[in-house]
Amino acid sequence: MADKSDTLSADLRRLEEIVRSLESDDTDLDKALALFEEGVTRLRAARDRLGEAEARVQKVLEDAAGHLTITDFTE
């Protein structure tokens, strides 16, 4: 299972492993369910990390007058 010490890259690597295992024909139902649950947990952790990173970036963009400049990350 994911814990706070895992990094985003570790979560993403493990998610890739889980997907490969779930796509294989030799995974039994109990193992598939456990992998699915772990995947959901890791996906949520990764999403939370990304949200925290976005908040930190937005905070850094706050200027000295206290105005927040939010820049679209896709530009």
Side-chain angles (χ1 to χ4, degrees):
M1 286 288 167
D3 64 35
K4 292 294 181 183
S5 66
D6 285 334
T7 64
L8 178 60
S9 60
D11 279 337
L12 294 176
R13 275 192 307 274
R14 180 62 183 144
L15 282 166
E16 289 175 4
E17 292 170 1
I18 290 169
V19 168
R20 281 193 299 275
S21 293
L22 289 173
E23 289 177 340
S24 73
D25 291 334
D26 62 341
T27 304
D28 67 32
L29 180 59
D30 290 332
K31 183 175 181 181
L33 287 172
L35 287 169
F36 180 77
E37 290 172 349
E38 180 185 352
V40 168
T41 299
R42 287 189 179 267
L43 185 59
R44 287 180 181 153
R47 185 183 58 212
D48 290 346
R49 279 191 187 87
L50 288 172
E52 291 168 6
E54 182 179 5
R56 287 173 53 195
V57 167
Q58 287 178 351
K59 184 176 180 181
V60 168
L61 295 175
E62 187 174 345
D63 66 19
H67 298 103
L68 184 63
T69 305
I70 299 175
T71 305
D72 186 359
F73 294 117
T74 60
E75 293 181 358

